[in-house]
Every structure is written in structure tokens, then in C-alpha cells.
Amino acid sequence: MREFMDEVSRFLSYYDLIFIGRAFLYTALLSLVGSCCGFVVGCGLAIVRIRRLVPFAPLRWLATAYVEIFRRIPFLVKLMLVLFTFQFMGVDVPMFVIAAITVALAASAFCAENIRAGLESIHVTQWEAAEALNMGGFSILWRVVLPQAWRVIIPPSMTYSVGLVKSTAIASQLGVPELTYAAKVLNQRGFSVVLCFGTILVLYFILCWPLTLLAAYLEKRLAPPGHR
Amino acid sequence: MSYTVQFSQVTPYMGYLAGGACLSLQMAAISFFAGGTVGLACASVLEYGPAWARWPVKAYVVFFLNTPLLVQIFFFYFALPDVGIMLGSEQAVLVGMSLNAGSYLTEIMRTGFRVLRRSELEAAETLGFTRLQTIRHVIWPHICKVLFLPLSNQYIILTLTTSIAAIFGVEELTGRAYNVNSQTFRSLEVFLIAALYYVGLTFVASIMLHMVGYHVFGIRRKVF
């Protein structure tokens, strides 16, 4: 126990704290950038899959294929694919970009699915009624369907964003300096495993728990009146 | 462009990769059932257990839900030997995955416990059902219908999660893809094939689960 306390006091040096703090911000930034890009792309994909807006079937199939395929590839394999695709194209990009693109790919497929489920939860009669009022397709989507659908879309998307934060841990395989990588480095510098990985487990928890609570709160708050 | 895609060097390893896929499936199944057991136990404690037991279970679920699986496995793999528990890499991954899946499955099982309404049980009693008949005809079908979709989704997610084992040197699908990569240096091709395997595996699993759900439990919604 005494040794452990000594180690903790060594661990709490200025440089280690800065190092871990940066890694924490890096993880947060990676998740944020990735999930925002992913959400935008996912919105696009979900809209493309609406039959009423996109009468051109092959485009819908393409969007469906994209979603189905990217949902079914593990994050690690996706990471490797993105990495080697950039290598294949001979483009030299920072590792952060590769990690962020992978997060965005994962996020886009899952968001597209969530958003589609939300849009489909709105009854067809709403579309028909709006069409009868001579509203345009996108106008219906924006003014009639989305205001009702976002209640269904937001909670699972929030829950999924927690999953994204957690999957960024795998990006440590590329050597981007996020939390898991920081723990590995500190471990190699001689700090014990319990201390290094324990610390970052707590930090991940600090990052994810508020999101989980927010998702749970929103799920209760946004539930349609009849389902409370 | 200095790189040309060439699958011919990788195709001899297709069988080798398929062997890895078998191990992936096996690991997914083991962790699903182990996690299911953990989940069922924890969910019953949370719903019906005494207050002193509920608190640690709740802590377990919340902590495991909000930290990355990779770090959890790192912890089991490197920290448990300090207290004298030696785990092989595959065992460490399985323990980590089972405990992680257990926390998710606890949440899922809890919703299963909650769907039962008192009125349903009272109706069964009114009809003169015995306890066994109530379980067989009232409780079981209702719980199955509610739990089937989330459980099958969880199974698919677990199949994908097994790829993390590659980081610990387990030779499942991704691990074998790493091996082939280091032998042939055909990185893009190897990982494309591995990705195809994963898509194929989970797609077949989705279709089978959909058929089971449709024919056995009468669930009309899509599994995938």
C-alpha cells in the first residue's frame, strides 16, 4: 500500500497530468468531430432512402448497401481499411484524420439507421396530408416530419454517441495520442497497470456517464405524450 | 499511384481466414451466453433483490456500460496477474467481453421483466391456469416477443466486437488477417476480405435470426 501511495505521488507530476489531460481532450475531440461528421452524413443517407423524396431506386439501394455494409464491419477492421486506403492513394494525412474518418464512417451508418427509424415512425398519412396541401417534398420533411421525428431520433443517437466515445479507444492502435495510448505509454514508463489503466477508465467514465444520463433523461423527456 | 490492388496473393489464405472466422463465431457465442447468464442474474437482483445487493450490481452495470471494452480487457489482461490470476489472451478477452456484454444484457433483461403486467397474470389466474401453464402460455411468449430483437442485435454486435481480440494476439478473423498481412504485405486486400467475411457472417446471422423471430415468435419487424 505504501509503495502504491509513493507511486501515485510520482504519477501526479506536472508532465504526466498535462500528458493525460491532452489525451483526454484528444479523445473528446476525436469523438466530437467524428460523430458530428457522421451525423451529417447519416442524415443525408437517411433522406436519400426515403422513397417519396428520391424516386430513383438505384440511389436508394446504394445508400442501403452503404449502411448495411458499414454497420457490419468491426471498428478495428474499418480503421485498417481507412489507413490502407490512404496509403493506397499515396496521400499522406495525419493519423487524427484517419481516426476521425473511421469514427465518422461508423457513426454515419448507425445514425442513418436511427434517423430512418425515426422518419418511419411518422405515419404515412402525415405525408399524404402535407402533399394534399401542395407542400414540396423537402418542405414536408423539414416542416412536418422532422419536427415530430426528432423525438424518436435523438435518444438512441445520444446512446450511440457513448458507444462512439468508447470505440475511439481502438484508435490507439494507430498511435494517435488519445487516452488508451497515453495509458500504454505511461505503463511503459514504469507505472503500474492498475494505476495507468485505472486512471483512464475513470476518465472515460467521466466522459461517457453524463452522455448516458443525458440520453436517459431525453428518452423520458421527449417520449411522445401517450408513451410516458 | 504506386499501389495496384492484387488479390491473387491473398486468395490462398481464404481458408485460413475462414478458420479464424469460426473462432470469432465461437467467441461471440461463448461471451453471449456467459454475458446472458450474468445479465439475467444481475437483472433479477436489480428487480427483485434486496437493497444492499442492488447497489453493487448497479455500480457494475453503470461502470461497464460507460468505459471502453478495450481498456477493460487491458485491465484484466495486465492487472489480474498482479493478484495471482493468470489469464491467457483468449481467456482475458472472453472474460472482458462477457462482463461487458453482461452489463448491456442486464439492461435488456430488465426491460423484459418490466413488460409483464399484473393484469396479465391475474387474467391467467382467473382462467384457472396452473403456475406452469401461466409461464408457458402467458409469461414466456410475451417476454420472448419483447426481448428477441434487442438480444439478436446484441449477438450481432458481439460478433463484431470479437475483432478486438486481435489486439491481444488471439488468432481469430482479424488476428489472422494481421498474420496474412505481415506475410504478404497486401494490406488493403487482406482487410477487404476480412471485412467481407464480417459482413457475410453477420448478414447470414441476421437473416437466420429474422427467420427464427418470424416463424417461432411471430415478430414481423426486421432484425437487420
Side-chain angles (χ1 to χ4, degrees), chain A residues 24-218:
Chain A
F24 183 78
L25 287 182
Y26 204 94
T27 295
L29 194 67
L30 186 61
S31 323
L32 190 68
V33 171
S35 51
C36 287
C37 295
F39 193 76
V40 172
V41 177
C43 275
L45 283 169
I47 290 171
V48 166
R49 287 175 78 180
I50 303 174
R51 187 173 300 165
R52 283 167 183 275
L53 290 185
V54 183
F56 185 56
L59 199 60
R60 273 187 276 134
W61 296 336
L62 213 62
T64 309
Y66 174 95
V67 172
E68 282 300 323
I69 287 173
F70 278 97
R71 273 173 71 209
R72 289 164 193 282
I73 301 176
F75 193 86
L76 183 59
V77 178
K78 228 173 332 207
L79 193 69
M80 292 299 151
L81 280 178
V82 174
L83 174 68
F84 291 124
T85 308
F86 275 108
Q87 219 174 54
F88 163 71
M89 295 194 302
V91 192
D92 202 23
V93 289
M95 285 299 172
F96 178 82
V97 176
I98 291 177
I101 288 177
T102 313
V103 176
L105 279 178
S108 63
F110 278 91
C111 281
E113 203 56 16
N114 281 341
I115 294 169
R116 189 178 68 113
L119 294 181
E120 279 181 0
S121 73
I122 304 306
H123 207 268
V124 189
T125 47
Q126 296 277 325
W127 284 93
E128 285 166 357
E131 266 167 18
L133 293 173
N134 202 19
M135 287 172 82
F138 284 95
S139 174
I140 297 175
L141 183 71
W142 186 246
R143 295 192 178 162
V144 178
V145 177
L146 271 183
Q148 302 177 66
W150 66 275
R151 293 160 172 265
V152 187
I153 295 171
I154 296 293
S157 299
M158 288 295 294
T159 311
Y160 184 66
S161 70
V162 178
L164 275 181
V165 176
K166 291 191 285 177
S167 59
T168 56
I170 298 174
S172 64
Q173 287 303 100
L174 289 181
V176 290
E178 45 77 72
L179 276 174
T180 312
Y181 184 77
K184 278 194 208 163
V185 169
L186 289 173
N187 186 21
Q188 275 155 15
R189 273 205 229 143
F191 293 110
S192 73
V193 179
V194 179
L195 193 58
C196 300
F197 286 101
T199 312
I200 62 157
L201 273 177
V202 171
L203 287 175
Y204 272 116
F205 187 75
I206 291 173
L207 204 56
C208 293
W209 201 39
L211 281 175
T212 310
L213 289 181
L214 184 61
Y217 170 75
L218 286 177

Side-chain angles (χ1 to χ4, degrees), chain A residues 3-13 16 191 195:
Chain A
E3 278 171 34
F4 188 72
M5 292 316 287
D6 279 352
E7 202 189 337
V8 170
S9 63
R10 260 194 306 131
F11 188 69
L12 292 176
S13 72
D16 288 341
F191 293 110
L195 193 58

Side-chain angles (χ1 to χ4, degrees), chain B residues 116-162:
Chain B
L116 281 181
R117 297 211 183 86
R118 184 171 286 275
S119 52
E120 265 178 299
L121 301 179
E122 278 167 0
E125 210 172 306
T126 316
L127 290 173
F129 278 17
T130 63
R131 205 173 171 74
L132 212 64
Q133 276 174 323
T134 314
I135 292 174
R136 163 76 187 76
H137 296 288
V138 179
I139 298 179
W140 182 244
H142 194 169
I143 288 186
C144 280
K145 232 177 191 168
V146 175
L147 287 190
F148 187 76
L149 271 178
L151 283 183
S152 43
N153 276 337
Q154 195 60 36
Y155 180 73
I156 304 271
I157 289 170
L158 269 177
T159 313
L160 297 181
T161 320
T162 52

Side-chain angles (χ1 to χ4, degrees), chain B residues 33 71 78 108 130 132 136 141 152 183 186 209-210 217 223:
Chain B
F33 285 108
V71 187
F78 292 121
I108 293 174
T130 63
L132 212 64
R136 163 76 187 76
S152 43
Q183 274 171 24
R186 289 276 151 208
L209 284 169
H210 174 67
F217 303 117
V223 171

